[in-house]
Amino acid sequence: MALLTTGKGFVRALEKSGALGVYAPLEGGFEGRYQRRLRTNGYESLSLTARGLGDVSAYLMGVHGVRPPHLGKKNIGQNAAVGPIYFVPPIAAYQLESLSRQSKGLVLWILEGYILSKAELEYLVTLPQQEPRIKVVVELGGERYFRWEALEKLIEVA
């Protein structure tokens, strides 16, 4: 287990490709080390889980509607029986607006990325091309050691 890693190769690979697929040991701990390396290199990170994302493009970059759980109560009148829709600002776009001027950009670190479809992963590959200040890291599974590869290459193989 490499306790002293500089993470320079990881940061360079992320800056070059824009989106990385990561395989990390199931014991954990490595993710935090590499997120610290990103912070020391001028990036801010946002950790998300892939479960419950829904429409990835709308959740990250567009205003989207959310219905809270109705808890068995029904509305009488004009609203739908499942309750009102609340509109939520886009998570990544909102974080980009609040970045400091010294920051290089925002890294979206997505946990449990193995449940995402191929189309959703393709969107995550194109997201850094649409918005250059966003970088994406998707955890795709477990491995005996921490390794990464460009997400675009991993999608081609699958």
Side-chain angles (χ1 to χ4, degrees), residues 86-128:
Y86 296 101
F87 290 95
V88 180
I91 301 300
Y94 183 74
Q95 292 287 331
L96 279 177
E97 291 175 4
S98 63
L99 282 179
S100 65
R101 292 183 186 176
Q102 300 90 303
S103 178
K104 286 184 179 178
L106 176 68
V107 176
L108 299 175
W109 195 287
I110 301 177
L111 306 170
E112 300 175 329
Y114 53 86
I115 67 166
L116 295 174
S117 69
K118 187 173 181 179
E120 292 169 332
L121 290 172
E122 287 172 354
Y123 172 75
L124 292 174
V125 169
T126 61
L127 182 60

Side-chain angles (χ1 to χ4, degrees), residues 24 31 43 49 57 60 70 87 102 104 107 135 146 157:
E31 303 88 355
Y43 289 98
T49 181
S57 61
L60 295 176
H70 60 80
F87 290 95
Q102 300 90 303
K104 286 184 179 178
V107 176
K135 308 292 183 210
F146 190 87
V157 171

Side-chain angles (χ1 to χ4, degrees), residues 30-67:
F30 284 92
E31 303 88 355
R33 289 188 191 119
Y34 283 98
Q35 287 176 348
R36 263 196 320 273
R37 301 306 187 266
L38 289 168
R39 280 196 301 271
T40 58
N41 282 295
Y43 289 98
E44 294 184 22
S45 68
L46 175 66
S47 295
L48 304 166
T49 181
R51 296 190 186 275
L53 275 181
D55 183 8
V56 177
S57 61
Y59 186 81
L60 295 176
M61 298 303 286
V63 175
H64 58 284
V66 174
R67 289 185 193 269

Side-chain angles (χ1 to χ4, degrees), residues 68-82:
H70 60 80
L71 303 175
K73 298 179 168 79
K74 294 188 178 191
N75 294 339
I76 299 174
Q78 302 295 334
N79 293 339
V82 292

